Amino acid sequence: MASAKHENPSFILNAVKNVTIEDRPIPTLKNPSDVLIRVGVTGICGSDVHYWEHGRIADFILTAPMVLGHESAGTVVETGPACKHLHPGDRVALEPGVPCRLCPYCKAGTYNLCTDMRFAATPPYDGTLAKYYVLPEDFCVPLPPHVSNDEGALVEPLAVGVHVVRQANVQPGNTVVVFGAGPVGLLIAAVAKAHGAVKVIMVDIVQPRLEFALTYAATGVFNAMHSRDPKVNAAEIIKQFDLGFGADIAIDASGAAPSINTAIHVVRTGGTYVQAGMGADEISFPIMAMCCKEITMKGSFRYGPGDYKLAVDLLAAGSVSVKELITSRFKFEDAEKAFEEQKKGKGIKILIDGPQD
Ligand SMILES: [Zn+2]
Ligand SMILES: [Zn+2]
């Protein structure tokens, strides 16, 4: 950093495994309804680590330096003249993807599918690991006084969980099996429970993760190392947890082929399957089981209208708790260490405090 007084320290990915903290100009409001936010806390996501390690995710390729981070909460410091609800000093969770609002998907109320989405820390758009960030007012969700900025940073992955549970149409009394006990799987389980699911079974192959899941939101856990055969595992899950003809809903938050196969066998006839985890581009799965059981299969991508708000409401009401998922935190200057730790797979959610000066 050149000068002693820093304007907008930003954590920048220049190329694979090449990051620097640079002072960038404070972003300016581009529209009358924009707000300027001082970022308080940012959580690291698997996607941030993936860009840091590989410089790309699918067709999104890093071609120029980009600020990382997209899971943030902070404080409004300036509002544009057309802002109606927010004021300087308000604490907010930052919804990091701003859609075009004009394309057929936006107009149909599915803005997460927007063809012209500007999403933080997805090339070429800068992320939120900086001192300041600009968003339209309606993409900032106010945090009530009893919800901290740390919890506010976890609204992003929680909103992913909310969207998955809405895609699955979880109803009171449903039985749900969630594959993958990482941050998103855990949050899906918590939201499913808040929606009235009576059994929420989590499946993973890492025993400590399952043990944590049981203390968090799962009503039962199953270690998939039990068998290499997805059919055997599915039958065992149904038997152990008394799921009758099978689970009403199976959700994969792992992206792993064995989990996806087991999930399709664990769903009851007429049940629902949702793919929430990203993994290999292509896998083989039992399509005949899907056909003969008339399973409804859906994808789930980020979050759409109302998901961020519901995530904050669930936290505010105490229906979902996220504090337990925070396993460590780093100073902004040490952000790269946070990435190293996340890569090692230690902990669940790692937070980085916003720059202090
Ligand atoms: Zn994320
Ligand atoms: Zn659009």
Side-chain angles (χ1 to χ4, degrees):
M1 283 174 234
S3 70
K5 192 178 177 302
H6 307 135
E7 285 206 314
N8 182 30
S10 306
F11 186 73
I12 295 166
L13 179 66
N14 300 296
V16 170
K17 289 281 187 92
N18 173 346
V19 287
T20 44
I21 292 176
E22 280 171 33
D23 200 12
R24 286 194 167 184
I26 297 173
T28 51
L29 307 188
K30 281 163 202 73
N31 293 300
S33 55
D34 282 349
V35 302
L36 180 69
I37 302 136
R38 178 157 178 176
V39 178
V41 186
T42 301
I44 308 185
C45 174
S47 70
D48 293 313
V49 176
H50 205 276
Y51 280 120
W52 173 67
E53 268 199 286
H54 305 286
R56 64 180 295 165
I57 293 179
D59 293 335
F60 295 105
I61 300 160
L62 184 83
T63 52
M66 174 182 83
V67 180
L68 287 171
H70 62 270
E71 302 183 356
S72 297
T75 306
V76 173
V77 292
E78 187 189 344
T79 56
C83 289
K84 292 195 178 81
H85 310 291
L86 293 178
H87 304 281
D90 289 347
R91 287 185 311 110
V92 294
L94 281 62
E95 181 170 344
V98 181
C100 76
R101 307 180 195 251
L102 299 170
C103 75
Y105 295 106
C106 283
K107 298 190 89 163
T110 51
Y111 70 70
N112 54 314
L113 307 179
C114 175
T115 54
D116 195 17
M117 175 68 92
R118 286 173 290 137
F119 201 90
T122 298
Y125 304 107
D126 283 326
T128 59
L129 263 173
K131 187 170 175 181
Y132 293 106
Y133 195 75
V134 166
L135 271 179
E137 181 187 39
D138 60 323
F139 281 76
C140 301
V141 181
L143 297 172
H146 65 286
V147 176
S148 67
N149 279 357
D150 287 6
E151 292 165 283
L154 270 95
V155 168
E156 200 275 346
L158 180 56
V160 170
V162 165
H163 192 70
V164 170
V165 167
R166 284 178 153 174
Q167 287 294 87
N169 194 23
V170 173
Q171 297 292 312
N174 278 168
T175 56
V176 181
V177 182
V178 181
F179 293 79
V184 169
L186 291 165
L187 290 166
I188 290 167
V191 177
K193 217 171 165 186
H195 279 65
V198 285
K199 288 181 186 174
V200 181
I201 315 303
M202 295 205 75
V203 182
D204 204 292
I205 51 172
V206 182
Q207 193 58 27
R209 281 180 160 207
L210 290 173
E211 276 154 26
F212 176 80
L214 209 46
T215 68
Y216 181 63
T219 61
V221 294
F222 181 81
N223 193 322
M225 295 301 273
H226 176 80
S227 166
R228 296 176 77 97
D229 183 343
K231 271 190 171 169
V232 171
N233 276 340
E236 185 61 28
I237 293 167
I238 291 168
K239 191 176 115 205
Q240 257 190 43
F241 300 102
D242 199 13
L243 298 178
F245 293 115
D248 296 314
I249 292 158
I251 296 166
D252 176 66
S254 75
S259 294
I260 293 162
N261 278 263
T262 309
I264 289 162
H265 290 303
V266 96
V267 173
R268 68 167 168 81
T269 295
T272 298
Y273 172 91
V274 177
Q275 184 59 40
M278 303 215 185
D281 285 343
E282 293 180 22
I283 60 134
S284 126
F285 80 95
I287 196 162
M288 282 311 289
M290 173 219 167
C291 175
C292 298
K293 291 203 282 184
E294 209 169 80
I295 296 170
T296 300
M297 296 188 80
K298 287 184 183 175
S300 188
F301 187 59
R302 294 176 178 156
Y303 23 75
D307 293 333
Y308 238 73
K309 174 74 165 63
L310 180 54
V312 171
D313 287 346
L314 289 170
L315 285 177
S319 306
V320 169
S321 171
V322 294
K323 285 182 195 146
E324 303 89 324
L325 306 186
I326 300 164
T327 41
S328 60
R329 69 186 314 134
F330 288 81
K331 288 189 184 129
F332 189 78
E333 301 75 55
D334 298 330
E336 192 173 6
K337 286 186 201 156
F339 278 73
E340 303 273 4
E341 182 159 313
Q342 175 83 25
K343 193 198 149 193
K344 283 184 214 142
K346 285 186 185 165
I348 302 168
K349 208 33 124 174
I350 300 170
L351 301 183
I352 298 171
D353 283 308
Q356 295 306 301
D357 58 308

